[in-house]
Amino acid sequence: MAEPLKIAGYSINSRLFIGTGKFASNTIIPEVIAAASAEVVTVALRRMDINFPDENIVNFIPKGCIIMPNTSGARNAEEAIRIARLAQASGCGNWIKIEVIADNRYLLPDNQETIKATEVLANEGFVVLPYMSPDLMAARRLVDAGAAAVMPLGAPIGTNRGLKTKELIRILIEEIPLPIIVDAGIGKPSEAAEAMEMGAAAVLVNTAMATAQNPVAIAKAFALAVKAGRIAFEAGPGAIQAYANASSPLTGFLRDSL
Amino acid sequence: MQVTVNGQLVQATPEISLAELVKEKGWQAERIVVELNDVIISRTDWVHCIMKQGDKLEVVTFVGGG
């Protein structure tokens, strides 16, 4: 059985984190969370629509889940810090996904501003999970800044393109002493399994579920893939060889000569 | 009296407390966070916070996001 994931003293059984954006209806979200067996769920913070004050995503997230607000919309560290403090004042806990983006075409994160925001918020007692471009030096600075985990992107947000940054993520997994959670880009369960087999601590999936024809069914498939990938990682896959190596004995053939 | 809520002018009873305003407008108290003139007001302080003409409120809530 796969080991639980430890982050900031929390013990998390499900290594599949999910986002709640872009679903056709919020009413499907409880079913998606159940099918995914997700325990960590991201949300965003926005101005309340004063004409529709009853809309609130938290009403659709089962009690017992860890709610991880993101700082989407922040273009620099200062804005991310403001959003994080607002999120904390809601009383939904002290987890925060730092997301600082100033690029509108590829939505790639600004690692430098992310490091600054991480340092301030970690010092204030937040459990900080920064979304970042997979760069070893930036990841080391996030560790020094007090991050609880590091969340490199697999591909740009919402693209469903898979693990395009695989080799860079592999380096982070090897070198960074914190959980590495692949966030963004994963489009299919097989890609989630691949990340987990490599030793990713968890994956965060949103668009792949929200844009599937059947979000609940694919959430289930992702849960199975993440679990399989983790068990495979813990099992220690065999080494890759350049040449064939027979699986059957090379003696005792049913013939007389070579 | 008028106050600005999320960039829109809103009518409010003079001397109303923030707690009363939230109730009067039907906002979900347990699901929102309020900044008054750029300062976060914790829920327990809403009752002591008396609104003034021209006050600027930001009321934020959680929405779906990844």
Side-chain angles (χ1 to χ4, degrees):
Chain A
M1 201 43 221
E3 286 172 21
L5 168 61
K6 300 268 188 347
I7 294 181
Y10 291 78
S11 185
I12 299 157
N13 288 307
S14 172
R15 291 171 180 270
L16 174 56
F17 295 8
I18 71 164
T20 54
K22 295 191 283 200
F23 284 93
S25 163
N26 286 344
T27 54
I28 200 173
I29 287 173
E31 283 179 78
V32 170
I33 292 173
S37 305
E39 292 169 45
V40 179
V41 179
T42 65
V43 296
L45 197 72
R46 288 292 181 274
R47 274 181 161 174
M48 183 187 72
D49 183 339
I50 60 176
N51 301 311
F52 298 96
D54 292 338
E55 294 279 318
N56 193 303
I57 193 77
V58 175
N59 296 337
F60 298 92
I61 299 174
K63 298 255 178 304
C65 285
I66 294 171
I67 293 177
M68 178 162 68
N70 66 37
T71 65
S72 63
R75 293 160 299 177
N76 53 45
E78 196 181 19
E79 290 178 0
I81 291 163
R82 178 184 178 208
I83 294 169
R85 289 173 181 158
L86 281 165
Q88 191 184 40
S90 75
C92 286
N94 62 346
W95 283 50
I96 192 81
K97 168 181 161 178
I98 307 230
E99 186 177 331
V100 180
I101 294 174
D103 166 68
N104 289 329
R105 186 169 170 86
Y106 288 105
L107 301 177
L108 293 172
D110 182 329
N111 282 350
Q112 202 170 338
E113 292 294 305
T114 301
I115 293 162
K116 281 193 225 165
T118 297
E119 185 162 25
V120 171
L121 294 170
N123 279 331
E124 290 181 16
F126 282 86
V127 176
V128 182
L129 289 86
Y131 169 61
M132 55 103 64
S133 279
D135 173 82
L136 178 59
M137 294 307 137
R140 285 191 174 141
R141 290 188 180 113
L142 287 169
V143 175
D144 293 343
V150 173
M151 303 207 291
L153 61 96
I157 293 173
T159 58
N160 287 340
R161 296 184 68 200
L163 290 177
K164 296 298 175 195
T165 60
K166 186 174 166 183
E167 293 309 315
L168 296 169
I169 291 175
R170 188 193 303 284
I171 292 169
L172 298 191
I173 291 168
E174 268 178 33
E175 298 293 324
I176 297 297
L178 289 176
I180 300 297
I181 299 168
V182 180
D183 180 5
I186 290 178
K188 294 195 289 288
S190 56
E191 294 154 2
E194 190 178 12
M196 297 305 296
E197 282 172 354
M198 267 166 58
V203 296
L204 200 165
V205 178
N206 186 350
T207 301
M209 292 179 192
T211 61
Q213 281 182 28
N214 186 335
V216 176
I218 209 156
K220 180 74 187 168
F222 268 106
L224 293 167
V226 166
K227 196 168 271 187
R230 180 64 192 181
I231 293 170
F233 169 73
E234 288 176 15
I240 294 169
Q241 307 292 342
Y243 298 104
N245 191 343
S247 301
S248 308
L250 292 174
T251 55
F253 293 125
L254 306 185
R255 61 177 183 241
D256 295 330
S257 60
L258 289 172
Chain B
M1 174 177 94
Q2 284 188 322
V3 296
T4 304
V5 180
N6 293 352
Q8 296 183 38
L9 284 175
V10 168
Q11 285 296 330
T13 314
E15 309 273 301
I16 197 171
S17 72
L18 178 55
E20 287 163 332
L21 182 73
V22 167
K23 202 172 161 190
E24 191 180 287
K25 298 292 180 193
W27 302 338
Q28 288 186 298
E30 69 284 3
R31 294 275 182 256
I32 59 172
V33 183
V34 180
E35 262 185 357
L36 172 60
N37 304 328
D38 301 325
V39 178
I40 297 171
I41 310 294
S42 73
R43 214 166 279 139
T44 49
D45 291 335
W46 289 359
V47 68
H48 309 298
C49 190
I50 306 301
M51 307 298 300
K52 298 187 304 294
Q53 168 71 27
D55 273 345
K56 197 173 73 120
L57 288 172
E58 280 290 331
V59 183
V60 301
T61 191
F62 289 118
V63 299

